[in-house]
Amino acid sequence: MSRETAPHLLVVEARFYDDMSDALLDGATHALKAAGATYDVVTVPGALEIPPAIAMALDASEEGGTDYDGFVALGMVIRGETYHFDIVSNESSRALMDLAVSESLAIGNGILTCENDEQAWARARRSDKDKGGFAASAALTMIALRDKLNGG
Ligand SMILES: Nc1c(NC[C@H](O)[C@H](O)[C@H](O)CO)[nH]c(=O)[nH]c1=O
Ligand SMILES: CC(=O)[C@@H](O)COP(=O)(O)O
């Protein structure tokens, strides 16, 4: 049976860099709207808070909250002077992968890890590498795959 309703996704954006977050969100929402999907957007302080936000959304859905077919994680991590770049980058992506595998979640990972602003902007802008749009498209693809595997 094919999907009867449009996919409904939760976009979790880490607005550590406001302007770059706007660009990533533009790309992601453009892709979601183009696919006919619906979505909610929530904001967290940084990339480390994205996986917990998704976990909170899962818990809420079990208590009568909104059910989401998939998730789009958006964030920008730019290397500074300390090891914190590695922590933020590695732990946020690791936690997303753990969630996706353990809960069979359709998560598009748009947490970018860049060496400098130039790399960051080239990947954030929809008119350039559009990594926000790619993350949204990845989530939609995984939703469709799960539907197919479940007889959809
Ligand atoms: N340096 C960046 C961070 N750091 C903040 C952490 O993500 C987290 O919010 C903080 O440790 C409090 O728990 N976050 C980014 O998203 N991007 C960065 O470049
Ligand atoms: C990715 C980060 O955590 C980074 O922005 C922090 O910068 P710094 O290592 O110079 O404190």
Side-chain angles (χ1 to χ4, degrees):
M1 178 179 71
S2 62
R3 168 173 288 277
E4 295 179 354
T5 59
H8 187 54
L9 295 90
L10 179 65
V11 178
V12 184
E13 57 161 4
R15 294 193 65 88
F16 196 83
Y17 297 98
D18 267 333
D19 48 1
M20 293 179 186
S21 298
D22 288 339
L24 285 168
L25 187 61
D26 172 54
T29 56
H30 185 269
L32 294 175
K33 284 182 275 193
T38 58
Y39 58 88
D40 294 328
V41 180
V42 295
T43 299
V44 295
L48 286 181
E49 284 75 43
I50 293 177
I54 292 174
M56 291 174 188
L58 290 179
D59 290 347
S61 71
E62 293 170 4
E63 300 297 326
T66 304
D67 284 327
Y68 293 104
D69 297 300
F71 302 86
V72 183
L74 300 175
M76 181 64 72
V77 188
I78 300 177
R79 188 180 297 277
E81 298 173 352
T82 70
Y83 185 67
H84 199 222
F85 170 86
D86 302 81
I87 292 294
V88 175
S89 302
N90 295 337
E91 291 303 306
S92 57
S93 60
R94 176 72 269 161
L96 286 183
M97 289 305 300
D98 289 346
L99 273 172
V101 171
S102 64
E103 302 290 338
S104 297
L105 300 182
I107 300 178
N109 184 353
I111 300 175
L112 311 190
T113 54
C114 299
E115 296 297 332
N116 52 55
D117 284 9
E118 181 181 1
Q119 288 183 1
W121 275 115
R123 287 151 182 81
R125 290 191 181 100
R126 177 161 64 94
S127 59
D128 201 332
K129 297 180 186 287
D130 191 22
K131 294 300 185 180
F134 186 81
S137 297
L140 291 168
T141 299
M142 295 305 286
I143 291 169
L145 173 61
R146 188 177 56 203
D147 289 347
K148 176 181 173 69
L149 293 171
N150 289 322

